[in-house]
């Protein structure tokens, strides 16, 4: 017991994973009853905190929709103790961290992470959110624009639209019915017209609802528990406790009038889908028995005999998933979501019949203990051998769990099911009846055929009532298909022993080199988990030499994944996953998870490649799905379109989407059949094997790959000639020139415009890299504050580094309804002028502090095997092989001086610099059509070049050199390996 807090829990009260060496302690502050979980992790580089406040948009007052969400935005601005606006974000960003928040129906969660040395002050600044925030009038007026901009971003998202329609079709009196995001209309226009002062209401909401007894805090630190406890007692004891009651609403959001209905919905994207939704008993009440998970596991299964397997076989569906959502102690929904093909759209009733037939199959087959045991075994293994994740996400998840689960299960949640209760599962199964659901059917085909509109998003829909007799009749005539329950999962690992590492190598070593492949090997020396990763990149010159070849490679990888799904789905359930994707030089496969059965899955993937054949029925379905993906690009956010155009301009091997679509629409199965052996006829393999695998087994794996594709009795591939190594180079912009590409947004219904302002700087180099990184660290928050908080250009406002094939640059991305892209471009340049002054005036001790913060970020240890593999694979696939990059960049940082940084800025980033190279991509939304027309007629000034034809522009430009390709590339592997091996032995 301490002076300010009662220690209610000790470490062994909280169940934790076997491989978790962190220490935990639950405390409740004596002064205000704030419940806290302390986590001590001496090995962490980042510290984090997450405050979960038990109030969400369900508590919004009538006529002030989105007030809880608006308050979430406002708490970040300033407090009485730290009155400088955005000073919290500035502190966090400049000390290697990040921060965010979210508002849900019942909770609002605030969170941040930061470098360990800066945690104490960050925690003090964070605590002031909940003690004395300023909520100034000026900030309130400006931040309403940010909330409205955030809502504008969501207006044309089918996910947001369908979610709100589900809420709209519920009891008006139930808080589930509410619009939680808020917009200018709900937070400014209507309140003003009714004489309501929004700031007064904001302060009132804060005072009435933000009470310490409704808060749960997680603090994840490097210090011992006692010191963390003292820190929390000092920083958080002044949060008020007004003994506010928890929000409880025992009534159900749906009455009978909201069930037994078919709702036809007009989506934004050209897709077809159905969602069947049931109100159910919340699964969270029975998290040890997992009844919802059991049913979701079976209904959402994708193996042979499953509902999805049959729908896929019939050519009616492209995906199926199940979920329990809005889960709380009071109410929940179970949903089955099915993406339909064009043919499936014509068989909607048959699909629903098959769904209920499968539910009946589960009922009549009985509740199987072996299925429950299998799920429990997988969950138990996943919990005890979980990967360590970054402190921020870990803290957020636990803070949310603290409001739901008893203390001992804050970390476990439903990960250790232990009570097989067939009667409970049967009871929940009875809730999934045809008369207890509603069906949402979304399709563009319903455009012009609906008579209702959801008020907040403008979603068009219509309702057809379904009587019990019509439902019964509807369920007749179920298609005669061989549905059956899944079989036992052969991919569940049973050997979780750790291999003995003969040599403590620090970096990947080149274990094997042949005319066909390079094998890089990195055993696990850090994480001690029975997991491994194998990544193989097939560099195939025939896969990327033309527009047609690129499209054919794409559809090859889609078909391959499609064919693997039935067997690989079992592996995925057992936490053994795979990925197949096309690349600019061919395609890539990766397999990762528990190493015990990893090789079985890898060999299954390789067998499907070696014996690949095109199945015409699946080709038609995949082709249709890919065509819709291309066509739906026009519904992407303008900032996504701008980023795409920027990549198209900068990358040598990129093709116009319109041309790719035209090729795809004319494609026939025979063309893919003819192309695949041609693509594979010449190849070179780059491989990384990492984790809990011994070197002999790593060599054996790649030897087997070579036997299949190169040296066996029926070889598929031949090695590459040095001249055949495929490359994808980057366009070099001229010094002192500003390029711009302007276009209209593809969706006329989207009012927002977007700008990508890119500054091309240098090719990969340790010293130049750290200069750019340091400038980005210093400027990132300044840009957010000026362009987002002060000028309110738009909710999406980012400044980040960009890396294209080793070509580094700085990139602003801004989406705005307030100003057109050309105006936003001028605001970016004005910001750079303001930043120039701040950079020149920076004190030396502040400069040193920034350098040290960046060093701390760079020296962060990998959290898990996958982070480590991603880092090393980026070096391998990029041809740089700088596995010791961190060491040399930290060394360059320590030698960097402030004058050198300013010189770098003056040469490459400063407005008007003769060496500066800028590319602006401007996408004009429908609210700026006249501005787009005006810009097209303007005369281009000196030093600027308008890019009208992207392909013609690229053909006229020189290219940067490439790190990969041919003889020099192979030589660099050998040279780098000798260096790496020597350092690994140190």
């Amino acid at each position: 017991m301490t002076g300010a807090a009662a220690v209610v829990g000790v470490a062994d009260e909280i169940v934790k994973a076997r491989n978790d060496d962190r220490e935990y302690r639950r405390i409740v502050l004596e002064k205000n009853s704030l419940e806290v979980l302390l986590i001590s992790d001496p090995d962490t580089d980042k510290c984090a905190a997450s405050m979960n406040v038990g109030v969400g948009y369900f508590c919004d007052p009538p006529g002030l929709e989105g007030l809880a969400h608006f308050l979430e935005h406002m708490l970040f601005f300033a407090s009485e103790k730290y009155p400088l606006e955005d000073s919290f974000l500035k502190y966090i960003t400049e000390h290697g961290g990040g921060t965010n928040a979210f508002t849900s129906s019942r909770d609002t969660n605030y969170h941040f992470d930061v470098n360990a040395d800066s945690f104490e002050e960050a925690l003090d600044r964070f605590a002031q959110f909940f003690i004395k925030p300023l909520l100034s009038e000026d900030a309130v007026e400006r931040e309403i624009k940010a909330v409205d901009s955030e809502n504008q971003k969501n207006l044309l998202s089918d996910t947001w639209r369908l979610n709100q329609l589900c809420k709209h079709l519920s009891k008006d009196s139930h808080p589930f019915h509410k619009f939680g995001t808020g917009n200018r209309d709900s937070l400014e226009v209507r309140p003003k017209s009714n004489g309501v002062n929004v700031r007064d209401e904001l302060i009132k909401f804060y005072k009435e609802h933000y009470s310490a007894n409704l808060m749960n805090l997680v603090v994840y630190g490097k210090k011992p528990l006692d010191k963390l406890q003292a820190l929390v007692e000092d920083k958080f004891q002044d949060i008020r406790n007004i003994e506010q009651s928890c929000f409880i609403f025992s009534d159900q959001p749906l009455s009978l009038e909201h069930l037994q209905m078919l709702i036809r919905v007009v989506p934004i994207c050209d897709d077809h889908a159905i969602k069947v939704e049931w109100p159910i008993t919340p699964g969270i009440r029975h998290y040890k028995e997992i009844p919802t998970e059991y049913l979701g596991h079976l209904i959402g299964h994708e193996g042979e005999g499953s509902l999805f397997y049959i729908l896929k076989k019939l050519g009616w569906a492209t995906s199926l998933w199940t979920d329990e959502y809005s889960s709380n102690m009071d109410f929940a929904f179970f949903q089955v979501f099915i993406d339909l093909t064009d043919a499936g759209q014509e068989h909607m009733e048959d699909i629903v019949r098959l769904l209920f037939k499968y539910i009946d199959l589960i009922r009549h087959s009985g509740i199987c203990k072996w299925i429950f045991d299998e799920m429990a075994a997988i969950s138990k293994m996943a919990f005890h051998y979980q990967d360590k994740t970054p402190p921020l996400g870990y803290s957020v998840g636990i803070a949310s769990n603290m409001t739901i689960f008893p203390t001992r299960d804050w970390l476990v949640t439903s990960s250790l099911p232990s009570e097989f209760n067939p009667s409970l599962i049967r009871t929940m199964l009875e809730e999934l009846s045809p008369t207890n659901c509603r069906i949402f059917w979304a399709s563009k085909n319903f455009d012009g055929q609906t008579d209702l509109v959801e008020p907040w998003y403008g979603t068009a829909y219509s309702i057809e009532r379904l009587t019990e007799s019509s439902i019964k009749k509807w369920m007749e005539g179920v298609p005669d298909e061989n549905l059956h329950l899944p079989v036992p999962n052969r991919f569940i690992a049973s050997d979780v022993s750790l291999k003995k590492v003969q040599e403590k190598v620090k970096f990947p070593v080149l274990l094997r080199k042949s005319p066909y492949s390079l094998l890089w090997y990195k055993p696990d020396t850090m994480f001690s988990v029975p997991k491994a990763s194998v990544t193989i990149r097939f560099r195939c010159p025939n896969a990327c030499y033309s527009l047609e070849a690129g499209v054919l490679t794409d559809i090859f990888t889609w078909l391959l994944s499609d064919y693997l799904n039935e067997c690989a789905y079992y592996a995925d359930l057992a936490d053994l996953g795979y990925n197949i994707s096309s690349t600019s030089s061919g395609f890539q496969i990766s397999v990762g998870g528990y190493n015990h059965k990893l090789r079985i899955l890898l060999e299954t993937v390789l067998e499907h490649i070696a014996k690949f054949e095109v199945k015409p029925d699946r080709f038609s379905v995949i082709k249709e799905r890919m065509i819709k993906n291309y066509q739906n690009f026009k519904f992407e956010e303008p900032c996504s379109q701008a980023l795409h155009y920027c990549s198209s301009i900068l990358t040598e091997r990129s093709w116009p989407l319109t041309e790719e679509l035209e090729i795809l629409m004319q494609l026939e199965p025979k063309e893919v059949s003819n192309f695949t052996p041609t693509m594979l006829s010449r190849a070179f393999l780059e491989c990384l094997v990492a984790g809990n695998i011994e070197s002999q087994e790593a060599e054996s794996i790649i030897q087997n790959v070579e036997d299949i594709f190169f040296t066996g009795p029926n070889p598929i591939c031949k090695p590459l000639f040095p001249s055949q190594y495929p490359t994808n180079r980057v366009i070099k912009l001229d010094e002192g020139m500003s390029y711009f590409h302007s276009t209209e947004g593809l969706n006329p219904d989207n009012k927002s415009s977007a700008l990508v302002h890119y500054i091309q700087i240098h090719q990969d180099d340790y010293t130049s890299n750290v200069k750019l990184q340091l400038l980005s660290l210093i400027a990132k928050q300044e840009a957010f504050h000026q362009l987002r908080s002060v000028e309110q250009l738009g909710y999406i406002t980012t400044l980040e580094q960009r890396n294209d094939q080793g070509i580094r640059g700085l990139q602003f991305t801004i989406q705005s309804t307030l100003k057109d892209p050309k105006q936003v471009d001028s605001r970016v340049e004005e910001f750079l002028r303001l930043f120039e002054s701040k950079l020149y005036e920076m004190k030396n001790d502040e400069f040193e502090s920034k350098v040290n913060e960046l060093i701390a970020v760079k020296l962060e240890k990998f959290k898990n095997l996958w982070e480590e593999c991603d880092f090393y694979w980026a070096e391998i696939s990029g041809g740089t092989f700088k596995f010791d990059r961190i060491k040399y960049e930290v060394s360059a940082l320590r030698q960097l001086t402030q004058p050198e940084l300013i010189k770098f800025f003056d040469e490459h980033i400063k407005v008007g610099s003769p060496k500066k190279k800028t590319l602006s991509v401007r996408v004009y939304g429908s609210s700026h059509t006249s501005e787009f027309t005006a810009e097209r007629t303007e005369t281009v000034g000196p030093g600027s070049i308008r890019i009208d034809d992207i392909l013609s522009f690229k053909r006229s430009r020189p290219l940067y050199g490439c790190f990969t390709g041919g003889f020099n590339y192979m030589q660099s592997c050998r040279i780098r390996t000798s260096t790496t091996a020597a350092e690994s032995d140190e």
Side-chain angles (χ1 to χ4, degrees):
M1 186 81 68
T2 68
V7 180
V8 182
V10 292
D12 60 3
E13 180 187 7
I14 298 172
V15 177
K16 65 178 188 176
R18 291 179 195 143
N19 65 343
D20 187 353
D21 56 2
R22 293 166 289 205
E23 293 185 320
Y24 299 84
R25 177 185 294 169
R26 172 187 179 265
I27 64 172
V28 177
L29 298 191
E30 195 169 61
K31 184 175 178 181
N32 59 10
S33 299
L34 175 67
E35 186 174 43
V36 186
L37 178 66
L38 307 173
I39 306 174
S40 174
D41 181 0
D43 294 327
T44 191
D45 300 298
K46 285 273 180 71
C47 297
S50 175
M51 178 73 88
N52 200 81
V53 185
V55 56
Y57 67 78
F58 274 7
C59 294
D60 285 345
L64 282 168
E65 292 85 359
L67 192 68
H69 178 224
F70 184 35
L71 178 60
E72 170 223 301
H73 276 238
M74 289 302 305
L75 292 194
F76 280 90
F77 269 80
S79 63
E80 287 190 14
K81 186 173 182 180
Y82 299 100
L84 186 64
E85 195 172 282
D86 274 347
S87 61
F88 175 75
L89 179 60
K90 177 180 173 64
Y91 185 85
I92 295 298
T93 304
E94 292 179 350
H95 293 83
T99 182
N100 213 330
F102 61 83
T103 303
S104 66
S105 60
R106 294 168 177 268
D107 300 286
T108 306
N109 189 288
Y110 303 83
H111 44 271
F112 75 90
D113 68 354
V114 73
N115 290 338
D117 292 344
S118 307
F119 188 47
E120 184 169 345
E121 182 174 337
L123 206 60
D124 187 58
R125 291 172 175 270
F126 184 64
Q128 298 305 311
F129 285 21
F130 315 103
I131 298 172
K132 286 188 177 180
L134 279 183
L135 304 177
S136 69
E137 186 75 47
D138 177 55
V140 165
E141 291 177 0
R142 283 184 284 114
E143 196 61 17
I144 285 175
K145 295 176 183 177
V147 173
D148 188 67
S149 179
E150 182 178 356
N151 181 63
Q152 287 282 341
K153 173 182 68 69
N154 301 333
L155 284 180
L156 298 178
S157 162
D158 282 325
T159 300
W160 282 89
R161 292 163 72 88
L162 184 58
N163 181 52
Q164 186 61 40
L165 180 58
C166 292
K167 296 195 288 183
H168 178 67
L169 297 176
S170 66
K171 294 177 185 177
D172 293 357
S173 59
H174 198 283
F176 180 74
H177 184 80
K178 292 183 177 183
F179 167 56
T181 308
N183 60 15
R184 183 172 174 269
D185 186 52
S186 70
L187 293 170
E188 182 178 63
V189 176
R190 284 193 291 172
K192 279 185 178 179
S193 68
N194 294 324
V196 175
N197 184 299
V198 174
R199 179 173 179 262
D200 289 346
E201 292 296 323
L202 202 65
I203 294 170
K204 179 182 176 183
F205 188 91
Y206 179 84
K207 288 182 176 179
E208 288 183 355
H209 293 287
Y210 272 54
S211 176
N213 72 299
L214 294 184
M215 298 181 184
N216 300 95
L217 175 66
V218 174
V219 173
Y220 189 118
K222 195 177 183 75
K223 295 180 178 179
L225 289 173
D226 287 344
K227 290 189 176 180
L228 289 178
Q229 179 173 327
L231 192 61
V232 169
E233 292 168 4
D234 176 50
K235 306 300 182 188
F236 291 90
Q237 64 178 336
D238 290 334
I239 298 175
R240 296 176 314 126
N241 180 10
I242 57 173
E243 296 295 342
Q244 178 62 265
S245 300
C246 293
F247 178 85
I248 297 175
F249 206 98
S250 57
D251 190 20
Q252 296 299 307
L254 304 185
S255 60
L256 186 58
E257 68 174 291
H258 302 112
L259 300 172
Q260 298 181 18
M261 61 167 62
L262 173 64
I263 304 106
R264 291 178 172 84
V265 186
V266 181
I268 297 296
C269 292
D270 186 13
D271 290 318
H272 317 293
I274 58 174
K275 182 175 87 161
V276 184
E277 178 181 85
W278 297 262
I280 61 167
T281 303
I284 204 72
R285 296 181 189 173
H286 308 287
Y287 68 95
K288 293 291 187 185
E289 296 96 336
I290 59 167
T292 315
E293 288 90 337
Y294 179 95
L295 296 175
H297 167 73
L298 295 179
I299 298 170
H301 209 281
E302 297 182 17
E304 186 176 347
S306 67
L307 173 62
F308 178 66
Y309 175 84
I310 297 300
L311 295 178
K312 178 181 163 184
K313 181 181 173 184
L314 292 167
W316 293 350
T318 57
S319 72
L320 182 153
W321 53 269
T322 65
D323 187 31
E324 179 183 359
Y325 79 104
S326 286
S327 182
N328 53 73
M329 290 298 180
D330 299 327
F331 67 89
F333 302 95
F334 185 82
Q335 65 180 5
V336 177
F337 195 97
I338 307 172
D339 284 308
L340 307 178
T341 62
D342 289 343
Q345 170 70 8
E346 302 302 317
H347 289 272
M348 188 279 293
E349 292 185 9
D350 287 328
I351 291 169
V352 174
R353 290 184 186 114
L354 281 167
L355 167 60
F356 282 102
K357 181 179 180 180
Y358 195 80
I359 292 172
D360 278 340
L361 171 69
I362 298 172
R363 184 180 293 112
H364 294 133
S365 299
I367 307 305
C368 303
K369 188 173 187 300
W370 75 264
I371 293 177
F372 177 89
D373 289 343
E374 191 174 88
M375 292 177 66
I378 292 172
S379 295
K380 183 178 180 181
M381 192 178 301
F383 176 73
H384 284 297
Y385 295 104
Q386 61 186 281
D387 297 311
K388 201 170 188 179
T389 56
L392 182 60
Y394 190 67
S395 301
V396 171
I398 297 173
S400 299
N401 294 341
M402 289 169 72
T403 66
I404 302 170
F405 298 93
T407 304
R408 65 174 280 105
D409 291 332
W410 282 349
L411 311 183
V412 172
T413 65
S414 58
S415 297
L416 296 178
S418 56
E419 300 171 22
F420 178 59
N421 189 334
S423 62
L424 178 62
I425 297 173
R426 278 193 292 269
T427 300
M428 188 161 286
L429 188 59
E430 293 307 312
E431 294 183 314
L432 306 185
S433 71
T435 56
N436 188 45
C437 71
R438 55 187 186 175
I439 302 168
F440 293 86
W441 184 11
S443 174
K444 278 283 195 182
N445 293 0
F446 302 140
D447 199 3
Q449 302 176 25
T450 58
D451 57 351
L452 298 168
V453 176
E454 189 280 318
W456 293 107
Y457 287 78
T459 305
Y461 71 99
S462 62
I463 294 174
E464 178 185 341
R465 298 287 172 182
L466 303 173
T467 64
E468 288 198 32
S469 59
S470 65
I471 292 172
K472 186 176 180 181
K473 186 176 181 181
W474 207 26
M475 291 300 110
E476 294 174 355
V478 181
D480 184 18
E481 296 294 339
N482 184 27
L483 293 164
H484 60 79
L485 296 184
V487 298
N489 192 338
R490 69 188 179 107
F491 285 101
I492 299 175
S494 55
D495 180 359
V496 290
S497 60
L498 298 180
K499 311 288 186 182
K500 290 184 178 179
V501 179
Q502 300 298 324
E503 189 179 5
K504 295 283 184 180
V505 293
K506 188 175 181 181
F507 303 118
V509 293
L510 186 56
L511 193 61
R512 190 172 184 275
K513 180 177 176 181
S514 78
Y516 317 111
S517 71
L518 292 176
L519 166 59
W520 297 93
Y521 170 66
K522 175 61 177 71
D524 177 17
T525 57
M526 295 176 62
F527 311 109
S528 300
V529 290
K531 298 179 181 181
S533 170
V534 176
T535 304
I536 304 173
R537 173 166 288 193
F538 284 70
R539 289 196 181 269
C540 307
N542 293 327
C544 55
Y545 69 93
S546 70
L547 166 65
E548 291 88 346
V551 174
L552 285 161
T553 303
D554 279 344
I555 201 166
F556 161 77
T557 58
W558 277 61
L559 286 168
L560 185 58
S561 296
D562 183 71
Y563 298 161
L564 282 162
N565 191 62
E566 282 76 51
C567 65
Y569 182 76
Y570 282 94
D572 186 60
L573 290 175
D575 290 328
L576 183 57
Y578 78 99
N579 181 263
I580 300 169
S581 59
S582 57
T583 68
S584 61
S585 60
F587 65 98
Q588 178 175 304
I589 63 173
S590 56
V591 178
Y594 296 109
N595 57 276
H596 182 209
K597 304 291 181 73
L598 181 144
R599 192 161 182 176
I600 299 173
L601 178 59
L602 176 62
E603 289 174 356
T604 302
V605 173
L606 296 171
E607 181 183 356
H608 276 73
I609 297 173
K611 297 180 179 179
F612 181 83
E613 60 177 289
V614 179
K615 302 172 184 176
D617 57 334
R618 296 311 302 161
F619 172 85
S620 298
V621 171
I622 296 301
K623 176 182 173 180
E624 178 189 310
R625 181 67 264 165
M626 290 180 68
I627 287 173
K628 287 188 176 180
N629 282 359
Y630 276 104
Q631 293 172 333
N632 286 330
F633 176 73
K634 67 182 179 183
F635 302 116
E636 295 280 340
E637 286 294 317
C639 62
S640 297
Q641 295 178 16
L643 288 165
H644 168 77
Y645 295 136
C646 187
S647 295
S648 296
I649 291 169
L650 292 173
T651 309
E652 176 192 17
R653 293 190 181 276
S654 60
W655 322 104
L657 289 181
T658 52
E659 294 183 10
E660 291 184 334
L661 177 59
E662 185 175 340
I663 293 291
L664 183 59
M665 292 180 77
Q666 298 172 4
L667 211 57
E668 297 295 333
K670 186 176 180 181
E671 294 174 81
V672 183
S673 296
N674 292 338
F675 168 76
T676 304
T678 302
M679 176 185 69
L680 292 171
S681 63
R682 294 277 180 182
F684 185 78
L685 277 50
E686 293 166 339
C687 315
L688 172 64
V689 178
N692 192 40
I693 288 184
E694 294 172 335
S695 59
Q696 300 91 326
E697 186 178 0
E699 288 194 77
S700 172
I701 287 171
I702 302 309
Q703 179 63 63
N704 183 52
V705 177
E706 288 191 1
D707 290 345
I708 292 171
F709 290 97
F710 292 95
T711 60
N714 299 300
I716 299 167
C717 308
K718 293 181 180 178
L720 297 188
F721 294 113
S723 62
Q724 289 183 303
Y725 282 84
T727 61
N728 189 23
R729 298 163 69 188
V730 176
I731 303 300
K732 182 182 287 189
L733 304 178
D734 280 341
E735 292 182 352
M737 298 301 297
S738 294
Y739 303 85
F740 67 96
H741 172 69
S742 300
T743 186
E744 287 186 288
L746 298 175
N747 182 5
D749 293 329
N750 198 319
K751 296 179 181 180
S752 298
S753 296
L755 168 76
V756 171
H757 181 101
Y758 166 71
I759 304 169
Q760 191 177 76
I761 300 180
H762 68 277
Q763 191 164 24
D764 186 48
D765 167 78
Y766 293 132
T767 303
S768 297
N769 289 352
V770 299
K771 291 175 182 176
L772 178 61
Q773 290 159 9
L774 187 58
L775 279 170
S776 177
L777 174 69
I778 298 168
K780 185 174 183 178
Q781 191 282 328
E782 299 282 355
F784 183 89
H785 172 70
Q786 180 63 35
L787 302 174
R788 161 76 154 69
S789 298
V790 176
E791 300 187 29
Q792 285 293 332
L793 294 180
Y795 179 74
I796 298 174
T797 301
T798 63
L799 169 61
E800 57 197 346
Q801 301 167 67
R802 181 177 177 123
N803 181 1
D804 298 278
Q805 313 288 331
I807 310 305
R808 309 297 179 102
L810 204 62
Q811 177 175 283
F812 293 82
T813 305
I814 302 171
Q815 184 164 300
S816 179
T817 53
L818 183 66
K819 294 183 181 294
D820 70 77
K822 186 179 179 184
Q823 289 179 299
V824 175
D825 216 351
S826 69
R827 299 314 306 160
V828 169
E829 296 224 324
E830 184 58 33
F831 162 74
L832 289 174
R833 291 186 181 94
L834 291 171
F835 178 71
E836 175 185 339
S837 300
K838 293 186 178 183
L839 185 64
Y840 292 171
E841 295 165 5
M842 180 184 292
K843 300 290 191 295
N844 187 62
D845 58 345
E846 186 181 357
F847 171 79
E848 294 295 335
S849 174
K850 305 293 187 218
V851 169
N852 290 333
E853 292 298 340
L854 183 55
I855 288 173
V857 170
K858 286 189 165 297
L859 292 177
E860 282 183 41
K861 295 180 284 292
F862 298 121
K863 306 294 184 302
N864 52 57
L865 176 66
W866 320 116
E867 280 190 12
E868 182 184 46
C869 289
D870 285 346
F871 178 86
Y872 291 134
W873 182 248
E875 296 292 336
I876 294 166
S877 61
T880 47
F881 307 110
K882 295 178 180 177
F883 302 130
D884 48 5
R885 175 182 297 277
I886 294 171
K887 169 185 172 182
Y888 286 102
E889 289 192 348
V890 167
S891 176
L893 265 173
R894 286 179 170 141
Q895 297 174 46
L896 183 64
T897 65
Q898 190 170 352
E900 288 173 332
L901 183 68
I902 292 173
K903 181 182 178 184
F904 182 82
F905 174 85
D906 287 347
E907 287 184 352
H908 300 290
I909 300 170
K910 180 178 178 178
V911 176
S913 167
K915 286 190 174 184
K916 186 175 182 180
K917 300 181 287 185
T918 305
L919 168 64
S920 294
V921 178
R922 305 166 182 172
V923 174
Y924 285 77
S926 59
S927 61
H928 299 124
T929 303
S930 59
E931 289 87 344
F932 174 72
T933 304
E935 193 209 286
R936 300 293 295 169
T937 61
E938 291 175 0
T939 303
V940 178
S944 294
I945 295 178
R946 175 189 284 132
I947 302 172
D948 291 320
D949 185 332
I950 292 176
L951 289 177
S952 296
F953 170 75
K954 292 202 296 187
R955 292 190 188 106
S956 70
R957 302 302 310 147
L959 303 171
Y960 278 98
C962 185
F963 290 112
T964 61
F967 178 76
N968 289 335
Y969 169 63
M970 294 293 290
Q971 283 292 100
S972 68
C973 292
R974 183 179 61 80
I975 294 168
R976 291 282 178 191
T977 305
S978 62
T979 304
T980 303
E983 293 186 357
S984 298
D985 292 337
E986 288 179 0

